[in-house]
Structures are given as structure tokens and as C-alpha cells.
Amino acid sequence: MSTAVTSHARDIMAKLYRASEPDVLKPLLDRAALDSDSRERVMGHALGLLADLRAAQSKGWVNQFLQEYRLNSSEGVALLSLAEAFLRVPDPETADLLIADKLGDADWRAHAGKSNSKLVNSATWGLVVGRVLVGEGSTGPLRRLISRAGEPFVRQAVGAAMKMMGEIFVMGRTIDEAMKRMRRPENKGFTASFDMLGEAARTHADAQRYFQAYVGAVDAVGRDPAAGHSISVKLSALHPRYEVARWSECVPALTEMLEALAVQAASKGIALTVDAEESERLEMSLDIIGVVAGLPSLKGWDGFGMAVQAYGKRARPVIEWANGLDRVMNVRLVKGAYWDSEIKRTQVEGLADYPLFTRKAATDVSYLAVAKDMLAAENIRPAFASHNALTVATIMEWAGNSRDFEFQRLHGMGDGLYERLVQENGYHCRVYAPVGGHRDLLAYLVRRLLENGANSSFVHQLADERLTEAEILADPVAKIAAVGGKRHPSIPLPVDLFGAGGHRNSAGLDLSDVGTLEAVVAAVSAPLPVAGGVGGGADLSSTGSDRGLVIPSPDPSREREGSSVVAAITRAHAAFPGWSTTPVDERAACLERLADLLEKHRDELMAICVQEAFKTIGDAIGEVREAADFCRYYAQQARLNLHPIELPGPTGERNTLHIEGRGVWATIAPWNFPLAIFLGQTVAALVTGNTVVAKPAPQTPRIAARAVELAHEAGVPVDALVLVTGGPEVGAALTADVRIQGVAFTGSTATSRKIARSLLDDETRPIVPLIAETGGINAMIVDSTALPEQVVADVIASSFRSAGQRCSALRLLLVQEDIAEGVIEMLSGAMETLRIGRSGDPATDVGPVIDQAAYDRLMAYRESVKTKIVKTLDAPTDGLFVPPTLVRIGAIEDLNQEWFGPILHVATWEAGKLSETIARVNAKGYGLTMGLHSRIARAAEVIEAEAAVGNLYINRSMIGAVVGSQPFGGEGLSGTGPKAGGPRYLYRFCAERAVSVDTTSAGGNATLLSLDEGGI
């Protein structure tokens, strides 16, 4: 290995990872450009390839079917959704519901007789009849005629059609079947790279099964090495926790497995290629590939290879790195397979920029530039995977007479593009051929079809008869040069996610970058400094000493006032007139400055969250981000909504609605979100013109004290925000004071009841608002159309992240009984991958619970249900570690209490009883969060209409509500509303005052009299 070359390449990768798109594209444009003569020759080749493609498309029924039902039509989406889910549904009742859902609303008649293919037209008429069967309802004439006998018929027909679609995109159910299919006449001259359909493993059992599948595939292909076939390997299929935080665990294990496969392939004389993964895994992948590439036992074997994704900004230095490995490397260049998920992840995590290009044409430019590098590289044997005629023609132009490379295409796509090149012109082409059961194609099928069917893709454009040849073969270099290499205007940077009129998105940290991760770990592990006064007279000296923390002393200048609740309220009461008359814009500016300070002091705040509240590193980042989002969002909402409103009325009268602060508010925060909720409640009260006495949970005074210090630094007067600390007795004294004009509380339902009673006990006291956010028995319903891998990932996050100590956490998993055992088995396996440990370790998934009382309560409950535990883990004994636990219960009604920790209960429900199941959950009286996993749109409509919850999550996890996007709060026993982080939250903190002025009493309406309408 040339260390200097590979090190230089890694340095460049680091600089390009999230660099500005125009800066990355500038050198690529020069590299990818064609001179006029070359462009003319390329266009000639491309037009010929285009003609071949269209000729093949007009012949094959598959191509015509996909052309008729494109992904930009409701019918195409319906078919794709049906194909994704149908084959995994075991029960006929749900299968019928899925068919009705996907076929029932689409306009199949509009496609009848439109295709040149008789087979496509026949299939369309089948869909028309199918829609009648499932979509007419029970009273339709054909429905009455066929009655129930029609459903098995339609089900069987759909099943056969879905298996046919599976055969289009999956080469074979087994490696032997796939190799046999490659010997068919239509594949003459082509070789294959077999992929065992190994998507990301969820469990160690998954990983072992995929590894054995690869071993078997290498052995099978190795029986006939002269055929020239190869194997493709996904590293994420070989380890369930292929993550940067688990680097020390997964990289050595994967290196060992890849070495075993490579040695086996070398001994058989066949090639092995490592597939590309998501961008955050690139550095890990290179470490693994680099070690295996340098093994002495593999010297002389030229079959080792890797895939590179051109949509990534780091593609060119990856080629430089591969070329410096001091051996021949087979490199497959692809456009990219995870574009949409990469974009979303970057936005959700608030990262600085995207790791990939946001325009399809920019990806094409990158592809061409990297392809030219590969053709010039001394130690790279190139493979160009493309269905784009212009791309293929350009590579042919640059390669000249050379055939020392190969093209590649996906099985089931690109028919006609390469046949003439292979059979008449001596080019090599390899088919990327998935192998596996049709029911397992799932996400693979969806991703490949979406990737190659996007509106801007060559495959989609080819099928659009409205586009001319010139438009289809337009030069991507010219396209990108025309826009200056700028990002796509519809894809803003994460900081601008909420648009010009919205708040600025909070900045996150990229923990997939090793340097960033190491710096964060060092920061959160550093001893906390001794803090000064908190400017609020709070006595923190008696709390937290047993938690190994240094607690700040009271501000000496305020000691004479004491730390009593009465004194704190007195100060806030006196400060109210001045703060309430401060203009809204100035109050909002204080919140925005506070948000900036939170991000400036992010490392310190994260350290306190980790050490005081036992937050994991990921949760600590989220805590600071959410606090900053609350500040900016409420500032934006205040500027928008809190100014006086002129109301309509008769002439000679002025009516105005003023929105004012109410007085002193008490905000009482929980320990599970000691910064985000503490500040969210507090700044909402402040920006609406109230003064605040803020009480954190007794377990987390330090983070609250620092937040108050920063608020004062941001411009909030020290008497407008006063901190008091302590336990229930302090909270009771606070809410009992008649000067308190409102209470915002987050915590238990029992405590919120006590507060509500205390606010009403004194008959002379004004009725004041209570905003209460409490817990819930949060349920997720899963039907048999759901993708189990996605369900398990979301259940793990929803149940066990933050050690289950979130109000929104999943407590009750309800799985359709037909798939329950399989889901529970996969869930149990995924639980085994969880790591329990100290909060500051980036590999930790589940940290300790908050205190001894919580630990004792949860452990006692586990002991009481030990005969019902179906899965639990071993936990360290030297801390407050409650093991993640899965408890099987007999019925929904068996769980009637929220257990605030990493304990998940699972029960089953019967197919066809979704409404009844929702009603049984509603009957518990809680209404915080609920989830649904289903591919049936009607099921989503039913739960949306019938679930009595504040937050409903469909086909995603149930935690992580984002300020401004998912306003959070429950109903019933789960809270009063309004929802935190929503557009109506601030109004609850306000007093509304209407002022009506009769202007005629001062001599008439001058405005009316001045109207020039002719006069008398």
C-alpha cells in the first residue's frame, strides 16, 4: 500500500465530506467536459444506443408494462406498493385488504388498450376487473355476482403477478437457480455479479445467515470459474451494528469475515466485490477493504473489488485511495443507491451540508469525472454501472479502442443498451443479479425502482414520449455550469429547513465523522467546572452531591433575599410591569440570542446532560438542539402573532385585540428533558410578557442553573427569570402562592392532579391556566403488511432509547397474531445488539435510569412479571442499569400503568379488528402517542380518525418530535394541551384584552366625511 497516496486521499475526503456543492463541482466540470469534436462523436454513439434501447422497450412486455405504469402515476405507485408488501402477508384477510387498498382507487380503465403489448393490455384488463371486485363495495352488481368466491381468485392472480414481478428483478431464488438462468439465450455474452439480497442485518442471526449465504454462493460460482461470474457483498449484511460508534467492535469482525470470503473466492478463482454503503460508513468500509487488500495471502489474486457511488462528494479521492493500494482493484462505479435517505438524515440531524449532490445532473458530472480518473488509473480495473446512453457513449469515447474494462447493468433494467456492444463490438458487460426469495426482495425492489424511475433519471426520461432525443441526451456539464453548480433550490441546507419565514434550524453534530466524535467524547467526559452564581438566588447546595457533581453556589449578592419560594415570586412579581411592557421584538431577540448561546456552549451543556442526567451522547445533542429550536420557534411565533390586531366593526368605531402577559408563571420541569423542556416552557412564558419562577426537577438542578445563567446573559432581566430548586415541597409552595398567574408543568399525571387541585383550593384565588404534559401507555399497532425489519428498528428506538425514559416512549407493542412470533424473534435478536453502559461512551445504547428510586421501582416490577419476560439482557451491576426487557402479556387490558423505563410489553390482535384494537387502547384514558406500521393506506386513515392521542406516528418511530414540525402533547390522562412546539402554544400564556373606541363621540368620523362621493 502506498501510504502517502492513501493518506492524501483520506485527507481530501475529510475536506469534501460536507463541502459546498459548487466548490466540489468546479474541478469536476473541467474533468468531465468534452470538446466539440468529442461531443459530436459521443452524440452519434448515444443516438444509436438510444435507438437500441427504444427498440428493446417496444418489444419486451416488461418494459412496456413499466412504461405504461410509471412511478409518477398513482397506478404505478399502487403496483409498486403492492409488490413491496403482498408476498410477505401470511393471512388472506389482510391480503384482501391490501389488494383492495392498492387496486381500489386507481384508474386502471384509463390504461386499458393503450399499450402496444397484448400482454400488457391483458394485464390491465385484469386490473380493471380486480378493481371492480375489490372496489365496488358489497352492493356492486359484479361483486354480488361473484360474492366471496371472487376474493381467492383475485388473491391468487395478484400473487402470481407479484411473483412474476419478482422474477423480473430477482435473478433466482437460489444461487444455483440464478446461475442456470444466466445460461439462457437472452444472457449470452453477459456475466453476472450475484448479490445474495443481503440488506442490513438487524440481528447477529441475520448476519450469520447472510454470511453463510455468501459462503455458499462463492462455492457455487467457484465450481465454474470459466463462466466469469462474481459475487457482491454488503458489509452491512454481515453485522447488525455497522456504525461508527461501534467501530472497535464491527470493523475487526467485518474484516475477519471479509477476509474469509476473499480467501475463499481467491482459492476458487472468482471475483468478489464489496458493495457501497451509506456515506457515514465510508471510512469504516475503506479501513476494512484496505486491510483485506493488503493481505499477503491474497497477493497475485486480481479478483478483489469495491463499489464507489458517484453521487457522493468524496468519489474522486476514493478512486485515488483505491489506486494507491499497491494492487489491482476492480472498481464498480455506480450513480448511488441511498440518495433520499441521505438527504433526509442530513436534514433531521441538522448537519452543515449534504455528503452528496442534490441535482441529478451533478451526479452525472461526478460520474463522468470519476470515470475518466478510473480509465487513467494504473491499478484500477474499471466497471461502469449505468443505464444512461450518454454516459455509456462518453466512456466509449474516452476509452478509444480499449476493452480493458466492463459495463454493468441491473438485472431487469437496461435491456437493449448493451446487447449490440457485447455481441458485435467486443465490450464486456456484467449483470448485477440479486438472488433470494421473492418475498425478501422488499426494500431492495423499492429502492432500485425508485432510484431508476425518478423523474430526472435516464430510464424515466426514456419512457417519456414527450421528450426529444436532444433533451434526453442533454449535456450534464452544460446543465450544471448554467446554474453555477448550485444546490437544487428545493433542497435547502438543513439550517434553512423551515424556509425564509420560519425559524433557523438548530445545528447538529456529525457523529459519523471520527474526528468530531472523538472531540465530543472528550468534551462530555471532562470534569465540570465550578459554576458561579445563577443570578436567581437558588440554593443548589443540597442537591446532587451524591451524583458526583460540582453544584454552583447561590449568587452572593442575593443571599440576603434568601432562597425561599416567596422571595423568588416577590422578585418576579415586581419585575412583571417592566418586562411585560418590553416590546415583543425585544423579548423575541432575547430568545434568539439565548439560542445562539446554547449552541456556543453546546459542549458544556452536553457534558452536564451526560453527567447529571445520564444522557447518552446522541440524546445530549438532541437536548441542546431542541432547546435552541424552542427559543427560535417561539421568538418567530411571538413576532408573528403577539402584536395588537385590528378587528372589523361599524364606521366610527375602532376595535383592537391586545395580547398581553398574565403575570408571574411557575414552570416546573422534569428530569428526563432537563434542558429542552425546562427552557421550552420557560421561554414561552417569557416571550409572551410574563415573568417566571422556574423549578427544575430535584435530580437535575445543574443544567437548569446554567440555562438560566445563559438566559440572563442573553438579556432576560435577572428578576424576570428566577430559579428555585428542590423537591415536591418547593413545587407545592410555588403553586400555592396566589400571585402565580399560570403553571406550566411536565411530569406525572398524579402530580398534575395535585397541582390542579392546589390552584382551585383557595376560593378567593383567580382561576389560572394550567398547562400539563404528562405520560401515557403508548401503543404501536403492527399489521401483517408491515416490513418487519423496519418495525423492529423503530420499536428498538421507541422503547429503549433514553433507557425508555421519554414520555413518548413505546410501552405496548400490538402485533397482528399472524406475524407475532416472527416479529418477537427478530425483536429479541435486535435487543441482543444493544449495549448497556455509561452515558459518555458513544457505543452505549442504554444508559442508567435517573435515580435509585426509579431503579428500585422498575426492578421490583420486573421481578413481579418475571414469568412473562420473553427477552432481557445482562446489565452491569455497578450502577443504576435496568436491563431492556420484553414482557409478553395476554391482552391489552393487562397493562394499566406507565412503567417509565426500558420495559416493553407485547400483545397480539386479530386481523380485521383494527378499529376494535384502537378502541381498546383508547379506553385506557391516556392519549399521548400512538403508532401504526402498515402498508395499507386505509389502515392509516382509520387510525387517524379513531385514535384519541395527541401524536400519531405512522411507519416510523414514536419518539423525537421536532419543534415546529411535530407539536407535542397529549389529551385525556396525558395532558391538557396546547401542544409544545406548536403554533397555538403561546396563546395559553396570554391574557386577551379587547379595546373598543367610539370615534364618533369626538365629532364624527373624519375618514367617512372625507370620502369624495359627490357631496350634497
Side-chain angles (χ1 to χ4, degrees):
M1 180 185 295
S2 175
T3 305
V5 172
T6 54
S7 177
H8 175 259
R10 297 289 280 262
D11 289 343
I12 295 176
M13 287 180 217
K15 293 175 182 176
L16 293 181
Y17 190 13
R18 299 190 184 277
S20 157
E21 198 158 334
D23 292 343
V24 179
L25 280 168
K26 187 175 181 181
L28 299 181
L29 289 167
D30 294 335
R31 185 65 170 159
L34 291 164
D35 59 42
S36 57
D37 290 342
S38 296
R39 173 70 181 169
E40 186 175 345
R41 288 192 295 272
V42 165
M43 283 296 292
H45 286 307
L47 287 169
L49 294 171
L50 195 60
D52 288 346
L53 273 165
R54 283 183 162 160
Q57 192 174 66
S58 66
K59 293 177 182 177
W61 76 267
V62 171
N63 287 320
Q64 292 190 48
F65 191 85
L66 294 176
Q67 183 178 6
E68 184 66 32
Y69 297 106
R70 300 176 197 158
L71 292 181
N72 62 345
S73 69
S74 60
E75 294 79 17
V77 172
L79 284 173
L80 180 63
S81 301
L82 188 59
E84 192 271 342
F86 183 80
L87 294 178
R88 67 170 174 265
V89 179
D91 60 295
E93 186 162 10
T94 306
D96 291 341
L97 290 172
L98 179 66
I99 294 169
D101 189 70
K102 302 309 176 191
L103 301 189
D105 295 329
D107 184 10
W108 304 107
R109 289 182 184 273
H111 297 268
K114 297 294 182 64
S115 176
N116 295 325
S117 167
K118 292 182 179 179
L119 188 57
V120 172
N121 287 332
S122 296
T124 296
W125 281 113
L127 292 168
V128 171
V129 173
R131 187 202 183 284
V132 172
L133 287 172
V134 301
E136 265 195 352
S138 59
T139 59
L142 186 58
R143 193 72 165 81
R144 289 197 306 270
L145 175 66
I146 298 177
S147 187
R148 294 288 297 179
E151 290 181 354
F153 170 77
V154 174
R155 195 184 314 129
Q156 291 169 15
V158 170
M162 295 304 102
K163 289 177 181 177
M164 188 180 297
M165 285 192 71
E167 289 181 4
I168 296 169
F169 300 102
V170 178
M171 181 63 76
R173 287 165 292 186
T174 66
I175 187 65
D176 290 330
E177 184 179 300
M179 292 176 66
K180 181 179 179 181
R181 188 170 178 182
M182 278 302 298
R183 291 193 287 269
R184 291 181 182 178
E186 65 265 25
N187 292 319
K188 183 181 179 181
F190 289 82
T191 54
S193 183
F194 297 112
D195 170 21
M196 304 310 294
L197 270 182
E199 298 296 328
R202 296 295 179 196
T203 70
H204 288 293
D206 288 342
Q208 188 58 34
R209 185 172 65 255
Y210 285 132
F211 179 72
Q212 292 303 324
Y214 286 131
V215 169
V218 172
D219 183 64
V221 174
R223 294 191 211 113
D224 185 16
H229 302 317
S230 62
I231 298 295
S232 292
V233 175
K234 286 186 177 71
L235 295 177
S236 56
L238 298 177
H239 200 286
R241 300 303 299 272
Y242 187 31
E243 306 161 12
V244 173
R246 294 286 191 91
W247 192 302
S248 61
E249 170 191 343
C250 67
V251 168
L254 285 167
T255 302
E256 182 179 343
M257 285 187 280
L258 184 60
E259 176 184 349
L261 293 172
V263 169
Q264 182 193 8
S267 71
K268 300 286 187 179
I270 67 170
L272 184 81
T273 299
V274 180
D275 270 335
E277 303 276 358
E278 293 90 342
S279 63
E280 65 265 26
R281 291 171 167 157
L282 177 61
E283 294 285 338
M284 291 189 295
S285 295
L286 296 184
D287 270 12
I288 295 165
I289 293 168
V291 170
V292 175
L295 290 172
S297 60
L298 298 178
K299 289 290 185 182
W301 174 56
D302 290 343
F304 191 46
M306 61 184 290
V308 176
Q309 300 188 106
Y311 71 9
K313 293 175 178 176
R314 297 173 290 179
R316 282 192 81 189
V318 172
I319 298 302
E320 179 185 343
W321 177 88
N323 193 44
L325 288 177
D326 196 26
R327 65 167 295 139
V328 172
M329 285 290 290
N330 301 318
V331 177
R332 173 196 297 145
L333 183 63
V334 301
K335 294 291 174 74
Y338 306 95
W339 186 85
D340 53 347
S341 59
E342 298 269 18
I343 294 289
K344 181 176 181 180
R345 174 181 171 269
T346 302
Q347 292 179 343
V348 167
E349 296 187 8
L351 304 181
D353 208 325
Y354 300 100
L356 41 72
F357 302 109
T358 58
R359 293 178 187 264
K360 177 64 171 61
T363 296
D364 291 339
V365 168
S366 174
Y367 191 99
L368 293 173
V370 173
K372 184 178 279 189
D373 289 350
M374 290 170 62
L375 288 168
E378 181 180 351
N379 294 324
I380 286 179
R381 184 179 295 153
F384 302 109
S386 177
H387 301 143
N388 188 313
L390 182 66
T391 300
V392 172
T394 304
I395 291 168
M396 291 166 58
E397 167 72 16
W398 286 337
N401 295 324
S402 172
R403 300 293 186 271
D404 192 20
F405 66 93
E406 66 181 32
F407 290 112
Q408 294 191 0
R409 68 172 176 84
L410 291 171
H411 170 60
M413 293 197 177
D415 290 347
L417 178 60
Y418 292 113
E419 278 74 4
R420 189 191 301 271
L421 297 179
V422 169
Q423 295 162 10
E424 298 179 15
N425 300 104
Y427 288 96
H428 305 285
C429 184
R430 188 175 300 274
V431 178
Y432 187 86
V435 179
H438 292 154
R439 72 180 300 275
D440 296 325
L441 60 89
L442 297 172
Y444 174 88
L445 172 63
V446 172
R447 187 171 71 241
R448 294 303 177 190
L449 283 180
L450 289 174
E451 172 194 346
N452 292 281
N455 287 349
S456 58
S457 78
F458 184 86
V459 172
H460 181 91
Q461 291 181 355
L462 184 67
D464 192 339
E465 297 175 352
R466 296 169 299 178
L467 295 177
T468 66
E469 291 176 339
E471 289 172 315
I472 293 173
L473 300 176
D475 182 8
V477 173
K479 285 183 178 180
I480 295 303
V483 297
K486 294 179 181 177
R487 265 182 306 100
H488 195 289
S490 298
I491 305 176
L493 286 176
V495 69
D496 301 319
L497 182 61
F498 298 102
H503 65 287
R504 190 173 93 222
N505 191 20
S506 56
L509 287 169
D510 188 0
L511 299 185
S512 72
D513 178 76
V514 176
T516 300
L517 180 59
E518 290 175 347
V520 169
V521 172
V524 301
S525 303
L528 297 176
V530 176
V534 298
D539 179 9
L540 307 181
S541 58
S542 62
T543 59
S545 59
D546 59 334
R547 305 171 67 79
L549 298 172
V550 180
I551 299 299
S553 301
D555 183 348
S557 67
R558 302 239 173 234
E559 282 185 357
R560 64 183 180 276
E561 296 180 356
S563 59
S564 70
V565 171
V566 172
I569 296 173
T570 299
R571 290 171 48 203
H573 184 70
F576 172 70
W579 179 247
S580 65
T581 55
T582 300
V584 171
D585 287 345
E586 291 185 26
R587 299 197 302 257
C590 287
L591 268 61
E592 290 166 339
R593 288 192 294 270
L594 175 54
D596 293 342
L597 287 170
L598 292 171
E599 293 183 337
K600 178 181 177 181
H601 295 277
R602 175 173 52 200
D603 288 355
E604 175 195 354
L605 295 170
M606 286 175 58
I608 302 174
C609 285
V610 167
Q611 296 182 42
E612 180 180 53
F614 303 154
K615 293 273 182 180
T616 61
I617 289 175
D619 286 345
I621 294 171
E623 186 87 11
V624 178
R625 289 192 64 206
E626 186 173 5
D629 282 336
F630 273 131
C631 290
R632 293 191 179 112
Y633 179 75
Y634 290 148
Q636 181 253 347
Q637 288 291 307
R639 285 195 171 101
L640 189 66
N641 297 318
L642 297 189
H643 292 288
I645 302 170
E646 293 292 334
L647 302 175
T651 183
E653 185 173 285
R654 185 175 70 251
N655 299 293
T656 310
L657 181 66
H658 296 266
I659 303 173
E660 310 286 352
R662 301 179 64 92
V664 182
W665 272 71
T667 61
I668 303 172
W671 49 260
N672 63 333
F673 284 91
L675 179 63
I677 292 180
F678 174 82
L679 272 184
Q681 296 176 153
T682 298
V683 299
L686 286 169
V687 79
T688 47
N690 302 285
T691 53
V692 178
V693 178
K695 190 193 97 62
Q699 297 92 336
T700 53
R702 176 64 183 263
I703 190 66
R706 189 68 180 108
V708 169
E709 284 184 327
L710 293 176
H712 293 160
E713 184 179 338
V716 176
V718 292
D719 287 345
L721 171 57
V722 186
L723 181 72
V724 296
T725 64
E729 70 289 346
V730 174
L734 184 59
T735 58
D737 195 301
V738 296
R739 292 173 295 176
I740 294 296
Q741 295 299 300
V743 176
F745 167 79
T746 301
S748 72
T749 303
T751 302
S752 70
R753 289 184 185 279
K754 291 179 182 178
I755 293 172
R757 283 194 294 268
S758 74
L759 295 177
L760 296 173
D761 279 349
D762 188 341
E763 294 183 0
T764 65
R765 182 178 188 172
I767 298 173
V768 300
L770 167 64
I771 302 172
E773 293 183 34
T774 57
I777 300 178
N778 309 311
M780 177 189 288
I781 301 172
V782 179
D783 75 14
S784 62
T785 69
L787 179 62
E789 291 84 354
Q790 182 185 0
V791 169
V792 167
D794 289 340
V795 168
I796 289 288
S798 301
S799 303
F800 303 126
R801 187 171 173 181
S802 310
Q805 299 173 119
R806 292 178 181 236
C807 299
S808 57
L810 173 61
R811 309 295 179 197
L812 178 58
L813 176 63
L814 301 172
V815 187
Q816 187 180 320
E817 59 186 7
D818 304 271
I819 61 166
E821 295 311 313
V823 169
I824 291 172
E825 181 181 1
M826 185 181 292
L827 177 57
S828 298
M831 288 173 64
E832 291 174 356
T833 72
L834 295 172
R835 181 173 294 182
I836 307 168
R838 63 181 184 85
S839 303
D841 184 345
T844 292
D845 299 301
V846 182
V849 296
I850 190 63
D851 57 20
Q852 189 69 48
Y855 175 84
D856 292 344
R857 184 165 54 251
L858 291 166
M859 294 302 283
Y861 174 68
R862 287 180 76 254
E863 180 65 20
S864 72
V865 295
K866 62 182 179 182
T867 60
K868 300 177 183 178
I869 293 175
V870 295
K871 186 65 181 179
T872 190
L873 305 177
D874 293 330
T877 57
D878 58 344
L880 303 177
F881 299 103
V882 174
T885 304
L886 183 62
V887 180
R888 183 77 177 258
I889 59 177
I892 294 171
E893 289 72 23
D894 292 348
L895 180 65
N896 294 300
Q897 179 179 345
E898 178 186 38
W899 292 99
F900 208 72
I903 299 175
L904 173 64
H905 304 81
V906 59
T908 62
W909 61 285
E910 295 180 33
K913 294 187 176 181
L914 177 60
S915 289
E916 178 185 319
T917 301
I918 296 168
R920 290 167 68 189
V921 175
N922 286 343
K924 294 188 172 297
Y926 291 92
L928 190 55
T929 65
M930 190 181 294
L932 171 72
H933 266 273
S934 174
R935 293 297 191 262
I936 300 175
R938 176 59 184 157
E941 294 171 359
V942 168
I943 198 169
E944 185 174 352
E946 298 177 6
V949 294
N951 290 74
L952 177 63
Y953 298 101
I954 298 173
N955 292 330
R956 53 152 290 171
S957 75
M958 291 169 54
I959 62 171
V962 176
V963 173
S965 293
Q966 294 117 18
F968 187 77
E971 56 193 69
L973 296 175
S974 295
T976 63
K979 296 170 99 39
R984 298 180 178 87
Y985 189 64
L986 294 185
Y987 291 123
R988 187 63 170 154
F989 290 85
C990 301
E992 292 184 310
R993 293 166 183 161
V995 177
S996 184
V997 178
D998 181 1
T999 59
T1000 62
S1001 63
N1005 185 345
T1007 303
L1008 185 64
L1009 294 175
S1010 68
L1011 294 176
D1012 184 9
E1013 293 294 340
I1016 352 182

